[in-house]
Amino acid sequence: CPSTMEDPTQTISARNAARPSIAAIGPDVDATGTDLSSFAARGGKLILVSGLSDQFVSARTAWDWCERLAADNGGADALRPYFRAYFLPGRNHGGRVPGREGVDNVPAAQALVDWCERGQAPGALAGALSDGTRVPIAPWPQKTVSYRPLPQTRSKVAVTAS
């Protein structure tokens, strides 16, 4: 499809009409499939990170995909050799939600490098609250429910449930 630099008379509508439709390319770019068998067989490792306040990719959608992935591949334990997911409280698509306590600075990329290059599979990842307090983020299917101030202190506590 020529760009408007190549054909300055082309309208946006004409350019868009020349592009393939989402329906046509969907099978090639759809991120809902759960067959990661060839990826896993080649030794691939995948860490999914999702903000619980993500305005573009619903954390519920990401969680449901993890559930389908487990159901289609022998359960969550069968995924452990190659898959981890982390759901971050108070985090939107690009960072911490303004005005809300949330987790930031989660070293997921370093965890992936350590897993791939050093064989160190990640467990809980340490994130940071806005005051610098380090807090653990439980890997899916555990749920990191919330981080909240304790009533009589200024410290924070992680509440997790499996």
Side-chain angles (χ1 to χ4, degrees), residues 28 35 59 66 68 70 73 77 83 99 120 128 134-135 137:
D28 295 328
D35 182 2
C66 292
R68 287 193 318 277
N73 291 281
D77 287 340
F83 178 76
Q120 299 170 351
R134 302 299 290 172
V135 293
I137 304 299

Side-chain angles (χ1 to χ4, degrees), residues 44-125:
K45 309 290 186 214
L46 174 63
I47 295 179
L48 179 146
V49 178
S50 180
L52 290 174
S53 299
D54 193 321
Q55 68 274 38
F56 298 114
V57 180
S58 158
R60 181 78 254 170
T61 300
W63 187 278
D64 288 346
W65 181 78
C66 292
E67 295 289 328
R68 287 193 318 277
L69 182 68
D72 293 350
N73 291 281
D77 287 340
L79 302 176
R80 293 199 53 75
Y82 64 93
F83 178 76
R84 298 289 191 283
Y86 297 90
F87 292 84
L88 310 181
R91 180 113 177 146
N92 65 20
H93 198 75
R96 189 180 296 135
V97 176
R100 285 182 52 194
E101 186 64 87
V103 177
D104 216 353
N105 300 319
V106 176
Q110 186 60 53
L112 185 60
V113 168
D114 292 344
W115 196 9
C116 293
E117 296 181 1
R118 296 179 186 89
Q120 299 170 351
L125 297 180

